[in-house]
Amino acid sequence: MNDKAHIPYHTARRFLIDLIKNNDFSGDDEIIKLLHSILQGKSCLNYFTDGVVSRIRIDKETRIFLLDYSDQEVKMPCLPKTVFLLFLIHPEGVNFKGMRAYLQELYNIYQIVMKKNIEADKIKQILSNLVDPMSNSIYEACSIIRNRLLKVAGPSRMKFYDITGKRGGCHHITLDRELVIVEHEKLEKMMNR
């Protein structure tokens, strides 16, 4: 087979990853031999997706997906999801000690994430504890976020999605915001202001 195709790299790459994920080449001995010679014992899927930074999709129900890794939802309780979304909205970062300045924004996000009606006073109490510099609530929320993302992204990819920073400084998510797809109308407006 000496036919040359002129396909853009990114298109060819997506086709190849899809073929590997679905094992659509299993009957083609030439491709199998070529892959074995290239990979030398590595898992095909890991080889092609290890360096891939996945897009994040936040659907209309505020469910979170890492599209290029799995169809599995990254499930989080309301408070950690609220924190994660706040940090996605602020690529410049947020200082944990200065989170009180984001209280109204956290309240708005929490109302979007919370599917059922809850008393405003109860939400304010939960969020006041979160932004209190003497509380560990923000660290607990970040720990839950990290654990939930780890299940889908894996340890080698966490650096793109984790909330990181130095104690006393700004914390942020390093993911390029061009990779964030927001389908929820109110959240999308918050992301694009």
Side-chain angles (χ1 to χ4, degrees):
M1 180 191 261
N2 290 330
D3 298 319
K4 285 191 175 184
H6 297 285
I7 302 171
Y9 169 79
H10 293 290
T11 303
R13 186 173 182 280
R14 292 296 323 148
F15 281 136
L16 184 56
I17 289 171
D18 188 52
L19 285 170
I20 291 168
K21 282 181 181 177
N22 296 311
N23 201 20
D24 289 343
F25 59 86
S26 60
D28 192 322
D29 290 337
E30 185 179 353
I31 291 175
I32 292 170
K33 285 178 188 173
L34 182 60
L35 285 173
H36 279 294
S37 68
I38 291 170
L39 303 179
Q40 298 174 343
K42 271 190 151 184
S43 162
C44 290
L45 188 55
N46 288 343
Y47 181 84
F48 285 103
T49 61
D50 265 353
V52 174
V53 180
S54 178
R55 296 164 293 158
I56 289 182
R57 176 176 158 239
I58 301 155
D59 72 8
K60 292 178 181 180
E61 285 81 42
T62 70
R63 293 179 302 172
I64 299 169
F65 298 91
L66 299 179
L67 292 176
D68 301 304
Y69 301 152
S70 172
D71 294 338
Q72 178 183 354
E73 177 187 355
V74 180
K75 293 185 179 183
M76 294 181 203
C78 289
L79 187 60
K81 186 183 280 190
T82 298
V83 170
F84 183 70
L85 293 173
L86 177 77
F87 278 85
L88 276 181
I89 290 168
H90 291 280
E92 73 281 3
V94 174
N95 188 316
F96 285 173
K97 289 186 179 182
M99 283 192 64
R100 187 163 298 283
Y102 298 92
L103 195 54
Q104 185 60 49
E105 193 171 3
L106 284 162
Y107 181 82
N108 295 340
I109 297 167
Y110 196 92
Q111 283 188 309
I112 292 168
V113 168
M114 183 55 112
K115 303 254 186 307
K116 56 188 175 192
N117 286 339
I118 187 170
E119 294 176 23
D121 289 342
K122 185 164 179 147
I123 296 173
K124 288 178 181 175
Q125 181 182 357
I126 292 167
L127 296 175
S128 290
N129 187 40
L130 177 75
V131 301
D132 181 354
M134 302 307 285
S135 167
N136 277 336
S137 186
I138 185 63
Y139 295 102
E140 291 165 6
C142 288
S143 178
I144 292 168
I145 293 166
R146 190 172 300 115
N147 287 332
R148 301 300 170 91
L149 287 166
L150 189 61
K151 290 178 182 177
V152 178
S156 65
R157 303 174 185 133
M158 278 301 294
K159 63 184 174 190
F160 302 110
Y161 311 102
D162 201 5
I163 296 171
T164 58
K166 293 185 179 178
R167 200 178 257 304
C170 266
H171 286 70
H172 60 279
I173 297 171
T174 62
L175 182 72
D176 181 350
R177 294 318 188 265
E178 293 291 319
L179 298 173
V180 179
I181 302 162
V182 182
E183 296 172 354
H184 190 282
E185 195 175 320
K186 288 181 183 176
L187 279 176
E188 184 183 26
K189 286 178 184 172
M190 294 173 86
M191 291 283 290
N192 293 324
R193 63 186 155 97

